[in-house]
Amino acid sequence: MENRRGAGRRKSGFAGPFVCAALLAAGLAAGGQTADQAWLRGPNRLILFGKVIALGSSPIEQSAAQELSRSISHPASVKGGVFSTREWRENSLTVVGTAQEIRKLYPDVPVPGDLKPDEYWIWGRGSQGPSFSVVAGGDERGALYGVFATRRLPATAEMGKLKVDYPLRDHPAVPIRWVDEWDNADGTVERGYGGRSIFFEGGKVREDLAPVAEYARLLASVGINGCNLNNVNGAAPFLTSEWLRGLKRIADAMRPWGVHLAMSVALVSPEKIGGLKTSDPLDPAVKAWWAAKVNEIYALIPDFAGFTVKADSEGQPGPASYGRSPADAANLLAGALKPHGGVVLYRAFVYNNHLDWSDMKADRARAAYDIFHPLDGSFAPNVIVQTKEGPIDFQAREPVSPLFGGLRQTSQAMEVQITQEYTGQQRHLVYLAPMWKQVLDFDLRADRKSTPVKEILEGKSFHRPLGGMVGVAGVGRDAWLGSPLALANLYAFGRLAWNPDLTPEQIADEWIRQTINIDPVVVSTVEKMLMQSWPAYEHYTGFLGSQTLTDITGSHYGPNIESSERNGWGQWHRDDHEGIGMDRSVATGTGFVGQYPPEVARVYQSLNTCPDNLLLFFHHVRYTHKLHSGQTVIQYIYDSHYKGAAEAAQLVAEWETLKSRVNPALYDDVHARLEYQAGHAIVWRDAIVQYFLKQSGIPDNKGRAGHYPGRLEAEDARLTGYKAIDVTPWEDASGGKAVTCADAKSCMAEWTWGRKAGRFDIAVQYFDLQGGAARFVFAVNGQPVASWTANATLPSRRPDGDNSTRYTVRDVELKPGDVLRVEGTADGNDPAALDYVEVRPAPMAAARAPQ
Ligand code: GCV
């Protein structure tokens, strides 16, 4: 295979027919929702001398030619105009088409005879005069992908120059490259943090589908070929004839970009919307109902991709209700889809959420393997088992799901989550490519041979033909993912699904150059920030494989350590006064470790070999247990949380170095987000550290846990109107308490400064509740110094770690006897609740101090 890994950065040198103008406009586009808001910025990227023509008339080839034409800029506009000769421009030509079309019209072009569907081949001739370039595909979609690869080239090239080693040829690693959206009919998006649905509103398909076409363009640009629209929960209504007619409009909008529509279906649809008395997968009437329904779908959407199924899971009924297996259910749907070429993605996310916490052998992590491994070999060929990357649920850190090694005769897809449900909900910067890459590269050692997960998906290990990657995207109307830097995750998902050998750094580099700009300082700084972000998040939210210690029965956002325990959901970490962790060993625990092939099981089974970062996932240990590093578990808890919060603050400092180098609107937006994150990382740090200090009774040997110099608690202040309350969970507030202005409109908390004089940064920790925009004023000796409005939309409707927020007033002069005051004005459902103020010497003052 030529240039299989051809997407990396190229060295300068010979300039082929595609010449990089290196005129990337800075910053992200504003205005209507377009793919340009992500990484498909406007023109001035690529100069193509000459005309672009599509050889075929299909919508996909037309989009391809159009896409390339968008990238053309007039050579005269290039600084220096070095390439501008009229003859060159007018006589150059770029053709886009399938290999077959190219061969027919240009028999002298050496287009290979074995290009596969979705594969591309790019070739060119003539760099010193009029050029002739070819973008060929194994099929139309391959040509489109070739165009997007061409479009990416200048961004990955050195400034002003581009060397292309023709021909460029590449194909995707796996045939199934889908995004799943969890959109509801009413326009909400389950676990979506980018605004309301681009597909649905008010129980129907939206009139304006322009954003859908743009989304398909964005997806196609990174090789994604399927999009499942509707939530896997509550999917039944979408199969009604009225809905299907609406979905047809969406399929039509996505088709020109080669993105096929898929949908989630409920197994109980025959009863729910078909009027049948049963949905038993083996019932002939049920079978006939599905066949007729699928025929109806294909009559409207001839290139319909298939179904995704969540069944017998989290309240979604399934085959178990009829005494049938997931294979019975999957094969029923597969049978209906088979004549049309459709597939079934049956999710292995099947588990009992009423487990008995007191049963030390109960283990949710076991469920997927226990249920699906025995069914291996009984699925129809067009069934793909879709398994989440880890055995629980997209936590900050989990081991790889052992099921990938447990299905040898079944096609498999790996499900990852682009939308950051448990990883900061797009309010925290967490670049997930390094996490996904670890899973893809993880060698399961099946049959004691090298079997990295990516090779299982690619069909190299077990020779299954229909492997895939599915990313739960959660896009919405707020610039796709709500946060500009979060788009790196959508980009990375597509690029890894296309080529799992790319590195997260390479992908970050490509994305930054296309999205922000190509200034080398910007590229290296943002790449560093992206690469630091997941470790930082893990450090302050989920240590040593304890998952994400968040509110698992609520928002999945702020800290709430005990919410995981004493319920049936099975996201347990089993902490007590002595120790923490789930014993999943074969010898004394739940036996989950035994689901891995023996060489991997051996590593996890023993405390001596289990990696520290998964220790508590696999073992229950005392707080005094020594890690491989020699540190005790409890000291690691303290250290990693202080480290993580410092790393989050460092992200702000790094971004600040780019102030003059990036678009000002982008700068301000990202800066505000990172500052918020740094404050919330402190909320996380303090919650976890306070909790485990109390639980273990073991002090922090660096003296930080439980000691907060400069902190003035709101409940200890002189209060006017404010009333002290207990915060739940207690660890989410400093000292477990806060004050709230629930009974008055305007309230005050005052402290008298009794320490030495100086200049200080003063952090005000308050709770920003939704349903109102409380006002805060910080004053010294009655003189207002800062004021702000608490108008964020954060989860939870009572003061807790979901909405605890920090506002820092910088460089304030204080002397003994000064009165510090926070005045809060409640609004609507936001009672201007306050936790504390923290007074720290201002770094600027420290810098000014005489040496
Ligand atoms: C769509 C987690 C999420 C749910 C999601 C579920 C799933 O439990 O919290 O919102 O439901 O995973 O993947 O089916």
Side-chain angles (χ1 to χ4, degrees):
M1 181 171 52
E2 297 160 77
N3 298 315
R4 175 65 181 87
R5 300 296 170 243
R9 198 185 314 174
R10 296 174 190 288
K11 293 270 172 280
S12 60
F14 164 80
F18 301 114
V19 180
C20 172
L23 287 180
L24 293 188
L28 298 164
Q33 183 152 9
T34 70
D36 299 33
Q37 282 170 308
W39 51 87
L40 292 180
R41 304 296 314 287
N44 289 341
R45 305 294 247 358
L46 175 67
I47 310 281
L48 288 164
F49 295 110
K51 272 199 304 214
V52 180
I53 56 165
L55 298 186
S57 57
S58 75
I60 294 183
E61 280 193 39
Q62 294 304 314
S63 324
Q66 197 187 62
E67 188 64 37
L68 213 45
S69 305
R70 285 188 214 234
S71 308
I72 298 178
S73 115
H74 196 284
S77 69
V78 179
K79 226 195 223 157
V82 288
F83 311 117
S84 181
T85 77
R86 201 189 155 96
E87 191 250 338
W88 196 343
R89 197 165 64 238
E90 286 177 0
N91 295 321
S92 291
L93 176 69
T94 301
V95 295
V96 177
T98 63
Q100 221 183 3
E101 287 161 348
I102 306 268
R103 256 193 307 275
K104 209 160 140 199
L105 267 166
Y106 302 99
D108 58 324
V109 171
V111 60
D114 60 347
L115 287 185
K116 304 217 167 45
D118 288 358
E119 186 166 13
Y120 64 76
W121 182 83
I122 303 166
W123 179 86
R125 181 167 69 199
S127 64
Q128 304 304 319
S131 63
F132 175 61
S133 311
V134 171
V135 181
D139 57 3
E140 292 159 356
R141 205 160 54 188
L144 177 66
Y145 295 153
V147 159
F148 281 115
T150 308
R151 211 185 188 290
R152 255 192 315 270
L153 288 173
T156 55
E158 300 264 319
M159 189 87 161
K161 293 171 190 153
L162 173 66
K163 176 184 182 324
V164 180
D165 298 320
Y166 291 119
L168 276 179
R169 180 176 179 175
D170 207 358
H171 66 265
V174 290
I176 308 279
R177 304 178 303 282
W178 287 15
V179 284
D180 278 5
E181 312 294 338
W182 289 345
D183 291 34
N184 299 313
D186 64 2
T188 56
V189 180
E190 179 150 347
R191 311 300 175 191
Y193 312 102
R196 294 182 72 78
S197 172
I198 62 168
F199 304 108
F200 315 134
E201 190 57 72
K204 7 187 236 271
V205 169
R206 294 181 72 217
E207 281 310 311
D208 174 18
L209 294 182
V212 171
E214 281 293 295
Y215 185 43
R217 180 175 158 231
L218 202 53
L219 296 177
S221 75
V222 284
I224 293 168
N225 60 5
C227 178
N228 183 324
L229 307 180
N230 60 311
N231 195 347
V232 286
N233 295 329
F238 289 86
L239 280 176
T240 58
S241 301
E242 194 189 340
W243 263 105
L244 292 178
R245 283 192 294 276
L247 298 185
K248 172 197 167 13
R249 289 181 44 233
I250 297 180
D252 292 346
M254 298 197 300
R255 186 168 298 114
W257 300 100
V259 178
H260 292 188
L261 183 142
M263 57 189 295
S264 301
V265 292
L267 243 297
V268 288
S269 303
E271 281 158 280
K272 285 238 162 144
I273 62 158
L276 268 59
K277 293 222 158 42
T278 178
S279 297
D280 180 349
L282 300 191
D283 185 288
V286 169
K287 196 173 163 191
W289 186 87
W290 279 105
K293 193 43 85 179
V294 168
N295 289 342
E296 185 185 344
I297 294 173
Y298 277 91
L300 292 163
I301 309 170
D303 54 359
F304 181 70
F307 292 147
T308 300
V309 185
K310 174 177 181 176
D312 293 323
S313 171
E314 298 184 335
Q316 300 306 307
S321 314
Y322 312 94
R324 310 296 183 198
S325 75
D328 294 330
N331 293 346
L332 162 77
L333 301 176
L337 289 161
K338 187 174 168 219
H340 308 276
V343 294
V344 178
L345 280 103
Y346 201 97
R347 298 176 86 222
F349 189 64
V350 179
Y351 72 100
N352 169 10
N353 63 338
H354 300 287
L355 287 175
D356 177 3
W357 183 79
S358 62
D359 175 0
M360 299 305 279
K361 298 286 176 194
D363 188 0
R364 167 172 165 183
R366 292 190 57 118
Y369 191 98
D370 281 346
I371 296 167
F372 285 82
H373 171 66
L375 298 174
D376 191 22
S378 50
F379 290 100
N382 57 334
V383 173
I384 296 126
V385 170
Q386 177 173 321
T387 303
K388 290 192 182 186
E389 56 177 276
I392 299 286
D393 197 3
F394 304 132
Q395 304 296 289
R397 163 99 45 194
E398 290 183 50
V400 166
S401 170
L403 187 58
F404 293 118
L407 295 178
R408 311 291 179 87
Q409 299 166 65
T410 307
S411 288
Q412 298 195 66
M414 178 167 99
E415 180 179 314
V416 300
Q417 211 181 29
I418 298 161
T419 187
Q420 295 171 230
E421 176 180 357
Y422 282 97
T423 51
Q425 303 190 352
Q426 271 106 283
R427 299 182 187 95
H428 291 230
L429 173 65
V430 182
Y431 176 51
L432 293 163
M435 179 200 273
W436 302 334
K437 182 69 178 161
Q438 271 190 18
V439 180
L440 287 164
D441 287 349
F442 187 85
D443 189 351
L444 278 160
R445 304 288 309 157
D447 303 329
R448 301 181 192 282
K449 287 199 274 255
S450 166
T451 41
V453 170
K454 63 186 171 193
E455 292 189 9
I456 295 174
L457 304 177
E458 286 176 279
K460 290 180 183 162
S461 307
F462 307 141
H463 312 291
R464 303 308 309 166
L466 285 180
M469 294 252 305
V470 177
V472 179
V475 297
R477 281 179 241 165
D478 176 9
W480 308 111
L481 287 177
S483 154
L485 298 192
L487 283 161
N489 287 327
L490 181 58
Y491 183 83
F493 167 74
R495 298 292 287 133
L496 283 173
W498 181 278
N499 180 0
D501 292 335
L502 291 173
T503 68
E505 290 89 346
Q506 241 176 314
I507 296 170
D509 192 286
E510 278 183 16
W511 179 78
I512 298 160
R513 284 160 173 267
Q514 292 172 84
T515 313
I516 304 180
N517 63 45
I518 56 174
D519 174 345
V521 177
V522 171
V523 175
S524 65
T525 307
V526 178
E527 182 185 316
K528 188 168 152 213
M529 290 170 63
L530 291 176
M531 293 304 294
Q532 286 163 333
S533 60
W534 173 43
Y537 188 80
E538 184 183 8
H539 288 148
Y540 60 79
T541 63
F543 53 91
L544 303 174
S546 56
Q547 307 166 59
T548 311
L549 296 177
T550 186
D551 181 359
I552 76 117
T553 52
S555 64
H556 301 182
Y557 184 58
N560 190 336
I561 298 152
E562 283 175 65
S563 70
S564 314
E565 303 286 81
R566 293 168 197 83
N567 59 41
W569 290 95
Q571 284 184 226
W572 309 323
H573 50 268
R574 296 196 182 283
D575 73 90
D576 57 24
H577 293 299
E578 313 259 290
I580 176 168
M582 276 281 291
D583 182 355
R584 293 189 157 105
S585 67
V586 174
T588 54
T590 68
F592 168 72
V593 168
Q595 294 183 340
Y596 290 95
E599 289 181 36
V600 173
R602 203 173 311 124
V603 172
Y604 290 146
Q605 173 73 20
S606 159
L607 274 173
N608 294 330
T609 48
C610 183
D612 286 344
N613 61 16
L614 286 171
L615 176 72
L616 305 180
F617 196 92
F618 287 111
H619 297 278
H620 185 86
V621 296
R622 298 175 85 82
Y623 293 116
T624 49
H625 172 85
K626 286 220 167 124
L627 302 173
H628 299 308
S629 64
Q631 213 174 4
T632 60
V633 165
I634 190 69
Q635 194 55 44
Y636 181 89
I637 295 176
Y638 300 140
D639 288 354
S640 63
H641 287 83
Y642 277 89
K643 184 170 186 239
E647 286 165 338
Q650 180 62 20
L651 294 175
V652 182
E654 282 163 357
W655 184 250
E656 284 175 350
T657 65
L658 303 181
K659 188 166 171 110
S660 60
R661 294 175 179 270
V662 300
N663 171 296
L666 175 69
Y667 178 83
D668 290 344
D669 185 1
V670 172
H671 189 257
R673 289 169 192 278
L674 293 173
E675 280 225 306
Y676 163 78
Q677 175 178 358
H680 201 227
I682 292 172
V683 174
W684 268 97
R685 178 196 75 189
D686 291 353
I688 293 183
V689 162
Q690 289 199 99
Y691 178 93
F692 285 101
L693 175 65
K694 183 170 174 210
Q695 189 69 318
S696 70
I698 302 172
D700 170 9
N701 66 19
K702 298 197 177 97
R704 298 155 302 186
H707 301 286
Y708 303 104
R711 195 170 281 192
L712 305 169
E713 296 293 343
E715 60 274 19
D716 299 337
R718 294 187 296 281
L719 301 177
T720 311
Y722 269 128
K723 298 234 160 45
I725 54 161
D726 289 327
V727 169
T728 309
W730 68 270
E731 69 269 18
D732 281 6
S734 192
K737 289 188 189 305
V739 299
T740 172
C741 189
D743 306 327
K745 185 80 182 141
S746 215
C747 300
M748 279 192 301
E750 289 182 325
W751 305 261
T752 302
W753 182 242
R755 301 189 202 162
K756 62 180 187 184
R759 299 191 79 88
F760 299 91
D761 283 353
I762 300 173
V764 181
Q765 196 73 35
Y766 63 101
F767 299 88
D768 189 341
L769 268 73
Q770 48 178 289
R775 292 276 309 152
F776 288 92
V777 177
F778 174 74
V780 177
N781 298 330
Q783 291 301 311
V785 178
S787 63
W788 65 98
T789 305
N791 56 2
T793 311
L794 295 160
S796 173
R797 294 192 175 260
R798 53 186 169 77
D800 63 20
D802 279 354
N803 43 51
S804 179
T805 307
R806 178 169 274 231
Y807 184 94
T808 304
V809 191
R810 302 206 187 271
D811 204 22
V812 180
E813 187 160 15
L814 292 181
K815 53 186 185 328
D818 281 350
V819 174
L820 281 58
R821 180 204 291 167
V822 174
E823 196 178 311
T825 306
D827 178 59
N829 293 325
D830 185 344
L834 184 67
D835 192 357
Y836 60 83
V837 299
E838 190 168 273
V839 185
R840 289 164 297 150
M844 280 161 71
R848 273 198 304 270
Q851 297 301 303

